[in-house]
Amino acid sequence: MARIFTYDQDANLDINDKLLGSNSGDDVTKNFTINSLLELANSVNAIKHFDGIVFKVQDYNVDSDQYGIITTGTGTYTNTDFEDIQTIYLSFNNLKDEAVDDYIDVLEGYDVRITNKSDVNNFGIYRVDTITDSGSGTYKILTLTNQDASGQLQKGVEYYVSTLGNNLKNLNSFSVTSLNDVTSAGSGAIITDAERAAVATIYDRVLYTQVQNNLESTETSYPLSANQGRVLKGYIDSINTLLTSDNVDLDSLQEVVDYIEANKATLDSLGISNISGLQTALDGKVDVIVGKGLSAEDFTTALKTKLQNIADNAEVNVQADWNEADTNQDSFIQNKPTDVTDLSTHSVTELNNVTSAGSGAIITSSERTKLAAIDVNAEQNVQSNWDETNTNSDAFIQNKPVILDQSTTITVSGTTNQITTSPSTPQNLTADRTFTIGLPNDVTISNNLTVTNDLTVNGNITLGNQTTDTTNISGDASIAGALDATSIDAGNILSLDTAFVGTPTQDNAIFYTTENSHDILNFRYHGHTLKIDTLTEVIPSGITSGGILGQANSTQFTITAGTGVINDLNKESGAAEPYPEILYISWSGQTITVSNLDATSTEQKNSWIYIDENGSIQQQATSFTDAQIANKIIIGSVVHSSGTIDFVKTFPITAYGATAQIAEFARMFGPMKKTGHKITANGTNLSIDRAAGTAFAFGRNYTNDPNNPSIVSDTAKTICSIHRYYDDGSNGHIKDTNAGAGYTVLDPTKYDNGSGTLQTMNTAKFSVQRLYFFPTTPNVVV
């Protein structure tokens, strides 16, 4: 083997590249991929992470050897959205069983991030409000305030717990004096309590922004500015100047006041006669008469006469309005006819009681000429009378149309449970009437119903009791709902016969029969009938998803959530056939303590794990019985000794692919004899005879008989092919074939020296002699 340093350097590393090393268990040299090393390092958290701790989401427990647990409470954990988490429990030791409780204590007041190891988009960011020790003294309890979140904290998954960003605490956890750029902070708060109380009274004081710098404001609680005081002072100075003026022209307020004071006696004695012209003006006024007064306009005699001639309660004329419906309005028209047409938009030929209108005018030119020639003394026309019944009378109206009495009523009735109408009461014809016809919520059809096009059912179709009535639905159909708890997509033709006595005569039908108080759904197609129980009888009990076992710690195992099927055949005593009931089972992920741990015994023991019909996880110390395999969901086992779990193994029986798994096993086993193929001595030339027979080999007979594709028939045959094998001295053998033809006689010198010992042949020793024969089916085991 060349020395390692002589090999070429790999310039393009790949995670599937292999390294050479020794296995720790048996020191055997083995290959290891780079990817497997990375997965191992991640699985045991062997890689150091900066400022982060690794925990695994598990159920809360206080076992002495518990470590690396993150959960949200003291019970069984269920997956929780990050945004809904307010409290988390972190065990004192991380997933590498290293003490990290001192580190956790420092997180108080910090923002921390909890991140899925394999999915950075699955995280929660929280402010750590408080940290306390749990009552068990093995957990730190962190109360949190959510900052940001995405996804869930999932059971059985590993997470990093680390401080966020540059590890700065939130400022709301500091006092202002903790900031190193504040030289003096008073009491340590931005303001003291006394200062805060003083600030609170500001709302009872005038703010500078409330000062008014004008004399026109309507505000009643705001003060004027100093500038407005200056303006007011200017006005006061002007008034004082006027009051102290010595001008006698009475053009100032002070002069008027002085004049009145000087002539007060004269002014007090003034009367009408002392004022020139006042008496003459008063003599020309109109005297006031009690009960009468003057108006803004002169009321003439003519207006009075006109007013007297207007009748009491008279009103202003109002134009009549055909569309006015209010009978209290003056514009309402009483006794309007009900059949009025705008004749200006119609020709005479449109009138249904005119049998011939000539040219479409009232009369033609020739008819007008004829009318002019009629004597003026001709018989006078008589008014037509609708009520005239004498056909000889000129008043009789021929070909009168039938006019329906508007008081006549019409009733549209439905059929109970089949057709509904609204309204369903008699309706008269005094107005337009609208009837709604439809199906009720529940419809009963007493006779056959045939659907020639597509039929879509979004709800349930339930087959009724067995009667002689039949409901056929034929045509293309897609049933989106469920048929008697079974989803059906009918494809091309679907005929639902909801009740039969015995087997229906229709092809392509779904019906049910009753056997021993069991209702059984049946399918009829192309003259054949198939029971649904015939199909469900072959469904095995087993797992369909999840159910992976894992080791939680030295005494507990985990199982992931999962689903499965249990087929309860209901094979009752005396019943002709079983009536299978398929139970769909589901269970949640759990952590469970092994039930049969024995610390006093070093013997390897098993706890066999299965799911029962109630979805409960069960354990037993004995291996599974055939009855349990048929009626339970088998999961696997937990292997333990000395009271400690050694390992767990998941090996469930699946409820799917049973036929495919059996076929795969048969292919692995290979072709094999079914009947015949007996081997006997021939007695001539060391030959042997092989009798006729049949053998099983997948698909070997398909071209000959498609109904029996894997059964091959062989005729009898004499076989003459004996070969000798010699030990080559190196744990191998050499075939002596006589140039490929084999031998027809035995040569004692080649295998016996007369003393019963092996005869050497060249440098090899003859060790064994074998017989081979080859039927039509290659490699058949006989």
Side-chain angles (χ1 to χ4, degrees):
M1 177 177 177
R3 297 184 179 181
I4 293 178
F5 71 85
T6 63
Y7 288 102
D8 293 335
Q9 179 75 28
D10 187 354
N12 298 308
L13 288 178
D14 185 88
I15 62 173
N16 292 317
D17 288 349
K18 296 180 179 179
L19 306 174
L20 195 63
S22 297
N23 183 41
S24 63
D26 52 14
D27 290 330
V28 175
T29 301
K30 293 186 177 181
N31 290 323
F32 306 93
T33 65
I34 295 176
N35 186 50
S36 66
L37 293 177
L38 293 175
E39 289 182 352
L40 174 62
N42 284 329
S43 66
V44 299
N45 297 297
I47 300 175
K48 298 294 184 180
H49 302 282
F50 175 74
D51 196 21
I53 319 171
V54 179
F55 292 93
K56 185 176 183 180
V57 182
Q58 302 178 60
D59 295 333
Y60 177 89
N61 72 78
V62 293
D63 293 345
S64 59
D65 59 348
Q66 65 80 19
Y67 58 87
I69 296 178
I70 180 174
T71 185
T72 57
T74 58
T76 300
Y77 179 77
T78 56
N79 292 348
T80 307
D81 292 341
F82 274 118
E83 64 182 3
D84 295 331
I85 294 176
Q86 297 178 339
T87 303
I88 61 171
Y89 285 64
L90 296 176
S91 58
F92 279 19
N93 290 13
N94 63 12
L95 204 56
K96 292 180 65 178
D97 202 10
E98 298 171 337
V100 292
D101 50 323
D102 290 340
Y103 178 87
I104 296 174
D105 283 335
V106 179
L107 297 178
E108 183 171 348
Y110 281 94
D111 278 357
V112 299
R113 176 168 52 200
I114 302 175
T115 311
N116 188 314
K117 281 183 61 178
S118 59
D119 182 6
V120 296
N121 290 320
N122 190 7
F123 66 89
I125 298 176
Y126 308 93
R127 182 176 65 248
V128 181
D129 298 322
T130 62
I131 299 177
T132 58
D133 288 347
S134 66
S136 64
T138 57
Y139 286 88
K140 293 291 184 179
I141 305 174
L142 284 66
T143 58
L144 311 172
T145 299
N146 179 266
Q147 305 294 325
D148 200 354
S150 174
Q152 286 188 323
L153 187 68
Q154 300 172 332
K155 189 171 183 178
V157 178
E158 295 179 4
Y159 289 83
Y160 294 126
V161 177
S162 60
T163 56
L164 180 63
N166 58 4
N167 295 336
L168 286 178
K169 278 192 175 182
N170 290 317
L171 294 179
N172 61 4
S173 64
F174 286 92
S175 69
V176 69
T177 54
S178 301
L179 302 177
N180 59 10
D181 58 346
V182 176
T183 58
S184 178
S187 64
I190 298 301
I191 58 176
T192 65
D193 291 341
E195 293 166 340
R196 191 177 303 278
V199 171
T201 62
I202 287 178
Y203 294 103
D204 297 329
R205 302 176 182 177
V206 176
L207 302 177
Y208 78 93
T209 56
Q210 296 172 326
V211 176
Q212 303 296 301
N213 189 30
N214 65 82
L215 295 176
E216 298 176 354
S217 173
T218 59
E219 294 291 347
T220 60
S221 59
Y222 293 169
L224 291 176
S225 66
N227 179 60
Q228 294 306 313
R230 179 186 59 81
V231 173
L232 288 175
K233 182 178 182 302
Y235 291 149
I236 295 172
D237 291 345
S238 297
I239 293 173
N240 288 331
T241 300
L242 289 174
L243 293 176
T244 58
S245 173
D246 58 357
N247 192 321
V248 295
D249 294 331
L250 299 180
D251 57 358
S252 66
L253 178 61
Q254 185 62 50
E255 291 177 351
V256 172
V257 172
D258 292 344
Y259 182 82
I260 292 173
E261 290 179 348
N263 299 281
K264 183 178 186 301
T266 301
L267 293 173
D268 290 340
S269 62
L270 285 177
I272 295 176
S273 59
N274 298 115
I275 301 175
S276 176
L278 178 58
Q279 185 61 54
T280 302
L282 292 175
D283 292 341
K285 69 178 179 64
V286 177
D287 294 336
V288 176
I289 300 174
V290 177
K292 298 182 179 180
L294 299 177
S295 65
E297 293 83 21
D298 292 334
F299 189 70
T300 64
T301 301
L303 291 176
K304 177 181 178 183
T305 301
K306 182 176 181 180
L307 180 60
Q308 289 174 338
N309 290 331
I310 297 175
D312 294 340
N313 300 319
E315 297 181 4
V316 177
N317 290 336
V318 178
Q319 287 185 329
D321 185 354
W322 186 277
N323 295 325
E324 179 58 64
D326 189 348
T327 57
N328 294 321
Q329 297 296 321
D330 291 338
S331 59
F332 176 75
I333 301 175
Q334 299 184 28
N335 302 316
K336 287 186 296 186
T338 59
D339 187 10
V340 178
T341 304
D342 183 2
L343 298 178
S344 66
T345 62
H346 299 275
S347 67
V348 68
T349 56
E350 293 178 340
L351 302 178
N352 60 8
N353 61 350
V354 176
T355 58
S356 177
S359 63
I362 298 300
I363 58 175
T364 64
S365 297
S366 61
E367 290 170 341
R368 191 177 300 279
T369 300
K370 182 177 181 180
L371 180 62
I374 296 175
D375 190 272
V376 295
N377 295 319
E379 183 180 359
Q380 184 179 359
N381 289 335
V382 177
Q383 287 184 330
S384 299
N385 185 355
W386 187 278
D387 296 328
E388 180 60 63
T389 59
N390 185 357
T391 58
N392 295 320
S393 173
D394 291 340
F396 179 75
I397 302 174
Q398 299 184 28
N399 302 316
K400 289 186 295 185
V402 178
I403 298 179
L404 184 65
D405 185 354
Q406 290 186 340
S407 63
T408 302
T409 61
I410 183 172
T411 302
V412 179
S413 300
T415 305
T416 303
N417 294 331
Q418 294 183 5
I419 300 296
T420 59
T421 63
S422 178
S424 59
T425 57
Q427 303 291 307
N428 61 41
L429 302 181
T430 58
D432 292 341
R433 303 295 181 186
T434 300
F435 292 87
T436 301
I437 312 297
L439 297 175
N441 290 334
D442 296 324
V443 179
T444 300
I445 300 175
S446 58
N447 295 313
N448 294 343
L449 170 66
T450 300
V451 180
T452 57
N453 292 315
D454 294 349
L455 170 67
T456 299
V457 179
N458 293 320
N460 297 329
I461 294 181
T462 302
L463 303 184
N465 295 328
Q466 293 183 340
T467 67
T468 57
D469 294 335
T470 301
T471 298
N472 298 322
I473 302 177
S474 60
D476 292 342
S478 174
I479 301 179
L483 177 58
D484 200 11
T486 304
S487 296
I488 295 179
D489 188 348
N492 293 326
I493 303 299
L494 176 66
S495 175
L496 298 183
D497 299 293
T498 61
F500 294 102
V501 176
T503 301
T505 59
Q506 292 88 346
D507 243 349
N508 305 325
I510 301 174
F511 62 98
Y512 81 88
T513 58
T514 299
E515 299 177 6
N516 298 324
S517 301
H518 289 270
D519 294 336
I520 304 174
L521 190 64
N522 290 256
F523 301 89
R524 183 168 176 80
Y525 58 95
H526 199 66
H528 308 294
T529 299
L530 174 66
K531 298 179 181 179
I532 191 67
D533 283 0
T534 303
L535 301 177
T536 55
E537 285 172 11
V538 299
I539 297 176
S541 297
I543 198 169
T544 55
S545 70
I548 305 301
L549 296 177
Q551 182 175 347
N553 49 56
S554 62
T555 60
Q556 292 182 308
F557 67 91
T558 61
I559 182 171
T560 61
T563 59
V565 168
I566 292 179
N567 189 353
D568 185 358
L569 291 176
N570 289 318
K571 178 63 174 175
E572 301 173 359
S573 176
E577 295 184 26
Y579 304 109
E581 178 184 4
I582 305 301
L583 305 177
Y584 295 92
I585 308 299
S586 64
W587 61 91
S588 61
Q590 300 174 46
T591 298
I592 301 174
T593 300
V594 177
S595 60
N596 62 333
L597 295 174
D598 186 355
T600 64
S601 174
T602 59
E603 179 185 355
Q604 180 174 294
K605 298 179 181 294
N606 286 281
S607 180
W608 305 87
I609 313 301
Y610 67 91
I611 310 295
D612 65 16
E613 59 276 6
N614 299 314
S616 299
I617 299 169
Q618 303 291 352
Q619 305 179 58
Q620 63 186 37
T622 58
S623 59
F624 305 118
T625 65
D626 290 340
Q628 287 179 314
I629 292 174
N631 296 291
K632 309 297 180 184
I633 300 175
I634 304 303
I635 299 297
S637 70
V638 178
V639 180
H640 54 89
S641 59
S642 301
T644 301
I645 295 176
D646 296 326
F647 61 89
V648 296
K649 190 66 177 178
T650 306
F651 49 87
I653 295 176
T654 62
Y656 52 87
T659 302
Q661 294 179 62
I662 294 172
E664 181 180 9
F665 173 78
R667 287 193 297 271
M668 293 170 58
F669 198 88
M672 61 186 302
K673 181 184 76 172
K674 180 180 180 184
T675 62
H677 285 155
K678 183 177 181 181
I679 298 175
T680 58
N682 180 270
T684 303
N685 296 327
L686 297 180
S687 299
I688 58 176
D689 292 332
R690 188 213 63 207
T694 59
F696 176 88
F698 272 114
R700 294 293 176 86
N701 199 43
Y702 174 76
T703 56
N704 299 321
D705 185 1
N707 286 327
N708 296 281
S710 302
I711 301 299
V712 181
S713 297
D714 294 317
T715 59
K717 186 176 182 180
T718 298
I719 303 171
C720 301
S721 181
I722 299 176
H723 302 280
R724 294 183 298 202
Y725 285 80
Y726 299 90
D727 188 344
D728 64 1
S730 302
N731 296 323
H733 296 83
I734 298 173
K735 179 180 180 181
D736 179 13
T737 65
N738 190 28
Y743 295 91
T744 58
V745 296
L746 294 176
D747 183 357
T749 63
K750 298 296 191 295
Y751 67 92
D752 190 355
N753 60 8
S755 62
T757 60
L758 294 177
Q759 175 71 35
T760 59
M761 180 177 179
N762 297 330
T763 59
K765 294 186 293 181
F766 177 76
S767 62
V768 68
Q769 184 168 283
R770 298 181 182 176
L771 293 156
Y772 284 82
F773 69 92
F774 301 94
T776 303
T777 306
N779 303 326
V780 171
V781 177
V782 297

